[in-house]
Amino acid sequence: MSNEYDDILGSLNDNIKEISKDLRYNTGLELLYTGLLLNKFIDVRARRYNQNRSRLDIMHTLIVHGGTMKPTKLGELTLRTKQTITKVIDGLERDGLVRRELSGKDRRTKKVVITKKGLDSIRESLPSTIETINTAMPDLDEEQMKYFHEILKKIRKHIIGLDE
């Protein structure tokens, strides 16, 4: 059994070493690792305000879209699962930062509304959010930043297109 294990391990090791020579693969991994690191960095900073990325994303999305939205749309826009949206909204509601309201005539459909307390919370944490993002970004000149921004948009569009 050990021989078979060693053979598989050696073969996979060789395959991974060969794949890792591919610049596209390496760039994808670097992007993935950078995203994970950025997520951790933002989470640590957001905890100072008793928040996390999911909570902030949902509240920012609500604000940008007029303060009211159905949970399914929030999930689509923030790339969160139905279960995550429900859990996060429950917590935000418990803290008085959002409330659920009936939506139209269908008594089963609800919408999420950001409260004054939620708006005040975001207003208070916004300078720190801006500072966190600015701190995380390297010192690129304007041309480099525009180019990087366009590349990231192109990657997002490509990934979204893969799901269609």
Side-chain angles (χ1 to χ4, degrees), residues 70-71 100-111:
K70 290 182 180 178
R100 288 181 173 101
E101 293 181 355
L102 294 176
S103 178
K105 296 177 184 179
D106 184 354
R107 313 253 331 133
R108 295 171 298 162
T109 306
K110 299 209 175 181
K111 58 186 175 182

